[in-house]
Amino acid sequence: MGILQEDVVVISKGEKPGESTVITVNCPDKAGLGCDLCRVILLFGLSICKGDGQTDGKWCYIVFWVVGKPSTRWNLLKQRLLEVCPSYFSTSEIDFYKPENQQPRPPDVFLLKFWCSYDYEGLLHDVTEVLCELELTIERVKVSTAPDGRVMDLFYITDTRELLRTKMRQEETIHYLKNVLGKALINCEIELAGPEFTACSQGSPFLPSAITEDMFSLELPNDHRSGFLAHNPVSVTVDNAFSPSHTLVKILCKDHKGLIYDITRTLKDYNIQISYGRFFASRKGNCEVDLFLMQADGKKIVDPNKQNALCSRLRMELLRPLRLAVVSRGPDTELLVANPVELSGRGRPLVFHDITLALKNLNTPIFSVEIGRHVIHDREWEVYRILLEGQLSMGDVRNLVDDPNVEASHAAEFLTVRSTSVLKFHLHQTSPQPSGFLVQSLVDYCSQCFEYLILIPGVFHVSCLKSDLNIFEFGL
C-alpha cells in the first residue's frame, strides 16, 4: 500500500524566527535521489544545516533541516521536490504500463533576446534574478556591448514549468523584464532556439594552456593531497570494519554553499548508493558527515584503488567545487569560472546568479559574457568567460577597506554567510551598499600566503600570485 502524495514531501516551518525549517521526504528510492533533492534545495537558495536519511534500496526516508530567506516559496519548493521523487508505482509492476517509465524528453530551449539603450552596473544580475524568480533556467548566455554603449543580451533558457511556448508565459516574462530594466529596455523577444544554440553551447574553442592546466586539474597539488589547506581542512576516511555490509566514509570539513550537493553529486557520478547518511554543521561552520555506502552491485568498496580514487575526488570537490581564474587582457580583466557538469548533463545551480551578484556588489562593470562547455581531462565543464571593464588589482581591494572617510558605525559588522556559519570581520564601505569585504579572521594567514582575500555573499576568494595569472579556489 502506498502513501498519499501530500505525505511524500512534508515541510514544517520553524515556529520562531531563525529556527530551521524541516523537510521530510518519504518515497520510493532511485539512483541519485539524494543529489536531485539537494539540487532543488540549492536552487531555491536554501542551506542544509543538518540531514539524516536511510534506505533499504526500495524505499527511503530523508530529513533535511534548512535555513533560507523569508521570501522562500515553500509551496513551490514542495512541488519541485515532488517532481524528482519516484511515484509509488515505481515499486510495483504497474510501473510497466506508466508512460513516465519512458525516457524523459529534453526540454525545449528558447532564445530570449533584448537590447538596452545603455548599460549600468548590476544589469546582468537584475535580469538573472528575474529569470530565477520565473523558474527560467539559463543554459547559455552571450552578452556584448556596442561602441555606442548599447547592450545586446542573448539568453538561451529552458522553462521549468514548460509553458514558454504560450503567449501568456512569454508576455509575463517580458513584463517582469520591463519592470526591472525600465527605460533602458529598447526591445525584447522570445523565440524557440534554432541550430545556433548548438554552436553557442560549444563555447570558444580556445582556452589558454596555463589556465587549462591549473583550473581543470583533477588532482590536488602534492602538498595538499591530504586535503588540508590552512583555511579549509578536509578529511575523508574509509572504514570497512565498522559495518559488515557497508563501507563507512567519514568527512570532516568546513561548510560551504552546496556542500551536501557536492558530496551527493560525486557519489551519483560514481554510481555509489548511500544506505544511511548523517550530516551536521556547527555554528562555527565545522561539518561532520557519516555515510554508509554500497556499490551498484550491493557490495562494500574493498578495492584500495577505488577507495583512494573516491576519497581523492571527494577531497577535490569539497576543496574546489568551483574553479576560477583572473587574467589580464590589456586594460581589461577576464574572469573565468568553471564548474563540473553532472553525468546527467546538468550544471551547478545558480552559478551565474552568484557571479553577477558578486560583481554587482564589487561595482565592477561587465563588458561581455560567454558561457560554453568544454571537455577537458575526459570531464565536461561549464565555463563562464566574463570580460570586465578595467583591472581588479590589490590596490582596488585595499581602497575598499582602508578608506579614511569611513564612518565609525560602518567599521565593524557581523554578516551571516550561512545561518549555520557566522564569520566576524571588519567591513569598510564608501557607499550604503558594501562593495567588498576583508575577512579579519584570515588576514594574518593571507598576508603570508596570498595577495588578498575578499568575502562576497557566499564566496571565498583567495588570490595566489603566479606570474600574471591569479588562480582562485573557493566554495559557493
Side-chain angles (χ1 to χ4, degrees):
M1 184 175 179
I3 62 175
L4 297 176
Q5 186 182 30
E6 56 265 27
D7 295 330
V8 172
V9 176
V10 177
I11 298 179
S12 304
K13 290 184 281 188
E15 297 180 357
K16 300 178 182 178
E19 285 188 348
S20 301
T21 295
V22 181
I23 301 175
T24 303
V25 180
N26 184 16
C27 69
D29 198 9
K30 70 172 184 179
L33 176 60
C35 174
D36 296 343
L37 294 172
C38 291
R39 179 185 177 83
V40 173
I41 292 172
L42 178 59
L43 192 58
F44 275 73
L46 301 174
S47 299
I48 302 173
C49 56
K50 184 179 176 183
D52 205 328
Q54 61 182 352
T55 178
D56 60 2
K58 291 185 178 181
W59 202 276
C60 67
Y61 184 80
I62 305 173
V63 184
F64 297 107
W65 285 260
V66 302
V67 290
K69 46 193 177 183
S71 59
T72 300
R73 294 175 289 179
W74 297 107
N75 289 335
L76 184 60
L77 171 63
K78 178 175 180 176
Q79 181 181 341
R80 297 295 172 246
L81 290 171
L82 280 170
E83 289 172 357
V84 301
C85 294
S87 71
Y88 164 68
F89 296 104
S90 63
T91 62
S92 69
E93 296 180 358
I94 301 176
D95 187 52
F96 179 79
Y97 301 98
K98 288 183 63 64
E100 68 182 48
N101 197 41
Q102 301 172 359
Q103 195 71 13
R105 182 178 64 86
D108 292 325
V109 179
F110 291 84
L111 171 60
L112 168 64
K113 176 171 56 176
F114 60 90
W115 281 89
C116 289
S117 57
Y118 59 89
D119 193 8
Y120 65 85
E121 292 178 2
L123 183 150
L124 265 182
H125 177 68
D126 293 344
V127 173
T128 302
E129 197 160 36
V130 167
L131 297 180
C132 290
E133 283 292 313
L134 292 172
E135 293 193 287
L136 297 172
T137 303
I138 300 171
E139 301 292 341
R140 302 290 178 270
V141 175
K142 272 189 175 293
V143 176
S144 58
T145 304
D148 62 0
R150 292 190 303 167
V151 180
M152 184 184 73
D153 294 56
L154 302 177
F155 283 77
Y156 293 89
I157 57 179
T158 57
D159 187 5
T160 303
R161 304 175 192 174
E162 298 184 347
L163 295 174
L164 204 52
R165 283 183 176 270
T166 65
K167 184 179 180 180
M168 181 180 296
R169 179 69 161 153
Q170 292 184 11
E171 290 177 346
E172 177 191 29
T173 302
I174 294 173
H175 172 73
Y176 274 84
L177 288 173
K178 283 182 177 179
N179 284 343
V180 73
L181 296 176
K183 296 180 180 179
L185 184 64
I186 299 175
N187 185 44
C188 183
E189 300 174 359
I190 300 175
E191 61 187 35
L192 194 63
E196 75 277 2
F197 172 69
T198 304
C200 177
S201 300
Q202 301 305 316
S204 172
F206 175 73
L207 284 176
S209 58
I211 293 178
T212 303
E213 190 65 28
D214 285 303
M215 280 188 68
F216 301 102
S217 173
L218 296 181
E219 294 186 3
L220 291 170
N222 290 329
D223 53 342
H224 294 152
R225 288 192 176 176
S226 65
F228 280 86
L229 297 174
H231 65 284
N232 187 16
V234 175
S235 171
V236 182
T237 57
V238 174
D239 184 354
N240 268 324
F242 190 84
S243 169
S245 56
H246 294 83
T247 295
L248 171 61
V249 172
K250 295 181 69 69
I251 301 174
L252 301 175
C253 62
K254 289 291 184 180
D255 197 6
H256 69 246
K257 183 177 179 181
L259 172 70
I260 302 303
Y261 167 74
D262 290 322
I263 294 174
T264 54
R265 168 178 56 83
T266 302
L267 296 176
K268 180 180 179 181
D269 286 351
Y270 270 81
N271 199 20
I272 293 176
Q273 178 177 320
I274 304 173
S275 295
Y276 172 76
R278 182 189 67 86
F279 162 76
F280 174 76
S282 70
R283 291 189 176 273
K284 294 183 178 180
N286 298 316
C287 297
E288 299 180 11
V289 184
D290 293 332
L291 302 171
F292 288 82
L293 308 177
M294 288 194 310
Q295 299 182 114
D297 59 6
K299 298 180 181 179
K300 300 167 71 171
I301 308 171
V302 295
D303 186 338
N305 293 328
K306 290 183 179 180
Q307 292 180 10
N308 292 335
L310 177 61
C311 291
S312 177
R313 178 57 62 85
L314 283 170
R315 291 190 193 101
M316 173 62 74
E317 298 298 339
L318 296 181
L319 285 169
R320 304 182 67 187
L322 292 178
R323 314 295 175 88
L324 188 148
V326 176
V327 184
S328 177
R329 298 294 186 206
D332 299 319
T333 302
E334 184 176 19
L335 173 68
L336 295 98
V337 182
N339 62 268
V341 177
E342 294 180 27
L343 290 182
S344 62
R346 298 180 302 183
R348 187 184 184 87
L350 297 182
V351 173
F352 191 62
H353 173 277
D354 292 340
I355 292 172
T356 55
L357 174 61
L359 294 174
K360 180 179 180 178
N361 286 340
L362 288 170
N363 296 325
T364 303
I366 298 173
F367 183 77
S368 66
V369 176
E370 179 185 292
I371 303 177
R373 294 196 173 186
H374 300 260
V375 178
I376 302 172
H377 299 316
D378 297 324
R379 192 176 188 188
E380 189 175 19
W381 299 81
E382 198 163 50
V383 181
Y384 301 76
R385 304 189 67 170
I386 304 170
L387 188 62
L388 308 174
E389 296 181 15
Q391 293 282 345
L392 287 179
S393 66
M394 183 173 69
D396 294 330
V397 178
R398 285 175 175 166
N399 288 337
L400 298 175
V401 295
D402 293 334
D403 193 321
N405 298 319
V406 173
E407 294 183 6
S409 60
H410 294 155
E413 294 184 5
F414 292 89
L415 286 189
T416 303
V417 181
R418 299 183 51 149
S419 296
T420 57
S421 174
V422 181
L423 299 179
K424 177 181 180 180
F425 61 93
H426 293 288
L427 165 64
H428 295 262
Q429 64 183 43
T430 56
S431 63
Q433 293 296 325
S435 53
F437 311 105
L438 181 65
V439 183
Q440 186 64 40
S441 60
L442 297 177
V443 168
D444 293 338
Y445 175 75
C446 293
S447 64
Q448 300 173 11
C449 306
F450 300 108
E451 182 186 8
Y452 61 84
L453 183 145
I454 313 171
L455 175 66
I456 50 186
V459 183
F460 287 106
H461 282 216
V462 183
S463 171
C464 310
L465 291 175
K466 187 170 184 180
S467 64
D468 64 338
L469 180 66
N470 294 332
I471 300 295
F472 293 67
E473 298 179 1
F474 66 96
L476 264 180

